[in-house]
């Protein structure tokens, strides 16, 4: 009988930065060379397995960290996990960690060396991870390029050589296997009640001023409502709307710094958290909050079920969320004629922009301890096949032929239970089987992903693609050496913590954006936000 191991976790608060040097006093690399012809570390010189796995070797036991999204919760019996174990001869043990606490948990494990898994999913080497990598806590996976032939082939197929090279740190090494996209697509944005626009004689909003007017009308007609609600927490709203104001800061800010933003014209970083652009953005949001147009519960994470109920029952009429979630809400709606639509990015002072995206994304880290295993080569080759081979990519995206889909000529035809689901194919695949879950799918082919959506979504994507830089590029990462990375990391944490406290206060009116702004700026400057920005700019690849 199939049985999957699931390890629950509690969040350990606080980062033990003082242990960083003591725990990672060894070399930042392993003596190998970057790229083709890489040599294994001395501890692995006797490993000549060559392939990924074989039945004769027995199952490869792997422990993994998994970032769990409450709207698409991990399930121990997901078909994708069963198929991986069967196809690749692995025995997987997941430690499931709430996504809001994931960075803290990863940081603590890498800093202390305690409770470190074999594989960490859904991570990059932005921010503190760069310092950890350069201090030896993370394997420089580019040293083992011969062991990742499928990843290498995907990079070449998608033409991402420059983007992959840009992920190298100061020592010229890359420390993670990123997810790969042949082209970015518009997966979420403003979603609101199209039927109410028609009922009230309103046009679809194109600017944030338009959105304000729409929300005001919704409120006038429904005084007990909070027209705009939030999925998860403020981070989703912020990352999808801030770019139209010329900034991207916070927990999901594009730079990974929490407080710095990228100037696309000047090609440099600036202290976005204390900028006039950010003040203007928060002035807009705090006005919505004060006038009862923004859900007061947004300061705390709103889980998917509660969010869907708010939308379906008319307690809220608009949100920033993902297209695949529309169907489920419509199916449970209580009002006749209920109809949701997703719209292109709204125009703000800096133009109409969605959250920045890249052709590379969060991926896989191998902690230092993993490289000390005698079967490290087998681990790397197996992970490469699971995530980056054509079979693995097809599995993660479309599932199992005969179960989740069949082929009609050269076209994918999804199973009736998925195609008829109110949640839509994309979301249903994740909820029921785990296929398409962000931490588990690392190859994204736009044409294949679009088969999971309807014609309306295809048209929305076409509209966004025709806009001027609606989806901007992810800002470049600085080329820190280990000492500079540590310095940046030590500056980042107190700045980020202070920013979050003030952001909540400004939003909810606990602090006044006019009367208290100078105090906030002074506090952030005392925490050396300007020096933090200078460190990033001084270490950009020239």
């Amino acid at each position: 009988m199939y049985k999957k191991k699931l390890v629950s976790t509690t969040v350990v608060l606080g980062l033990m930065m003082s242990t960083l040097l003591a725990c990672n006093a060894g070399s930042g690399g392993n003596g190998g060379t970057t790229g083709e012809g890489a040599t294994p570390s001395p501890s692995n010189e006797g490993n000549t397995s060559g392939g990924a796995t074989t039945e004769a070797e027995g199952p490869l036991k792997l422990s993994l960290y998994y970032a769990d999204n409450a709207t698409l919760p991990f399930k121990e019996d997901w078909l994708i996990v069963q198929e991986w174990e069967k196809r690749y001869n692995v025995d997987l043990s997941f430690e499931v960690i709430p996504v809001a606490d994931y960075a803290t948990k990863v940081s603590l494990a890498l800093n202390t060396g305690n409770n470190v898994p074999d594989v960490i999913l859904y991570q990059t080497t932005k921010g503190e991870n760069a310092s950890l990598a350069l201090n030896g806590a993370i394997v420089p996976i580019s040293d083992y390029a011969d062991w990742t032939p499928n990843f290498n082939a995907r990079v070449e197929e998608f033409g991402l050589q420059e983007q992959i090279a840009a992920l190298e740190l100061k020592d010229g090494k890359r420390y993670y296997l990123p997810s790969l996209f042949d082209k970015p697509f518009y997966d979420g944005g403003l979603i609101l009640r199209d039927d109410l626009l028609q009922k009230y004689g309103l046009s679809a909003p194109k600017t944030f001023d338009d959105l304000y007017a729409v929300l005001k009308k919704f409120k006038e007609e429904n005084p007990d409502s909070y027209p705009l609600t939030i999925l998860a927490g403020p981070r989703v709203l912020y990352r999808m709307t801030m770019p139209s104001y010329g900034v991207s800061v916070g927990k999901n800010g594009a730079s990974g710094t929490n407080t710095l933003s990228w100037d696309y014209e000047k090609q440099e970083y600036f202290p976005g958290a204390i900028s006039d652009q950010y003040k203007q953005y928060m002035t807009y949001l705090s006005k919505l909050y004060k006038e009862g147009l923004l859900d007061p519960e947004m300061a705390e994470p709103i889980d998917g079920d509660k969010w869907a109920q708010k939308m379906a029952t008319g307690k809220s009429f608009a949100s920033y969320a993902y297209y695949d979630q529309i169907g489920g809400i419509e199916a449970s709606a209580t009002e006749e004629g209920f109809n949701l639509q997703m719209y292109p990015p709204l125009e703000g002072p800096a133009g109409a922009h969605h959250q920045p995206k890249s052709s590379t994304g969060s991926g896989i880290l191998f902690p230092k301890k993993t490289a000390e295993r005698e079967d490290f080569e087998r681990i790397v080759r197996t992970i490469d096949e699971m995530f980056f081979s054509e079979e693995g990519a097809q599995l993660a995206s479309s599932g199992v032929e005969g179960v989740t889909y069949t082929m009609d000529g050269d076209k994918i035809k999804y199973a009736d239970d998925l195609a008829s689901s109110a949640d839509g194919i994309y979301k249903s695949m994740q909820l029921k089987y785990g296929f398409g879950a962000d931490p588990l799918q690392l190859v994204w082919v736009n044409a294949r992903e679009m088969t999971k959506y309807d014609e309306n979504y295809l048209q929305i994507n076409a509209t966004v693609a025709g806009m001027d830089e609606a989806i901007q590029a992810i800002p470049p990462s600085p080329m820190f050496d280990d000492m500079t990375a540590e310095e940046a990391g030590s500056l980042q944490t107190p700045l980020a913590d202070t920013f979050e406290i003030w952001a909540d206060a400004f939003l909810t009116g606990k602090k006044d954006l006019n009367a208290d702004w100078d105090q906030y700026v002074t506090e952030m400057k005392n925490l050396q936000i300007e020096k933090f920005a200078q460190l990033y700019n001084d270490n950009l690849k020239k």
Side-chain angles (χ1 to χ4, degrees), residues 127-192:
E128 184 195 5
N129 282 350
S131 175
L132 289 165
L134 292 169
N135 277 280
I138 302 169
V139 174
I141 194 61
S142 61
D143 280 359
Y144 302 95
D146 285 346
W147 298 354
T148 59
N150 294 290
F151 173 82
N152 303 342
R154 287 289 179 182
V155 170
E156 185 174 350
E157 177 188 354
F158 294 168
L160 301 179
Q161 292 88 338
E162 290 186 7
Q163 290 89 331
I164 295 301
L167 302 179
E168 295 172 356
L169 299 184
K170 188 75 171 182
D171 60 358
K173 299 176 186 289
R174 175 173 40 81
Y175 287 81
Y176 73 109
L177 292 172
S179 52
L180 304 174
F181 299 77
D182 66 340
K183 61 179 73 173
F185 58 96
Y186 185 62
D187 55 351
L190 175 64
I191 294 173
L192 60 77

Side-chain angles (χ1 to χ4, degrees), residues 45 57 107 234 341 354 531:
E45 287 176 357
E57 291 177 290
S107 172
Q341 177 62 294
H354 186 51
K531 179 180 180 180

Side-chain angles (χ1 to χ4, degrees), residues 47-53 57 146-147 149 377-378 381 385:
N47 186 337
T48 57
S49 61
T53 64
E57 291 177 290
D146 285 346
W147 298 354
E377 179 177 352
R378 181 182 173 190
R381 288 185 180 276
E385 286 196 12

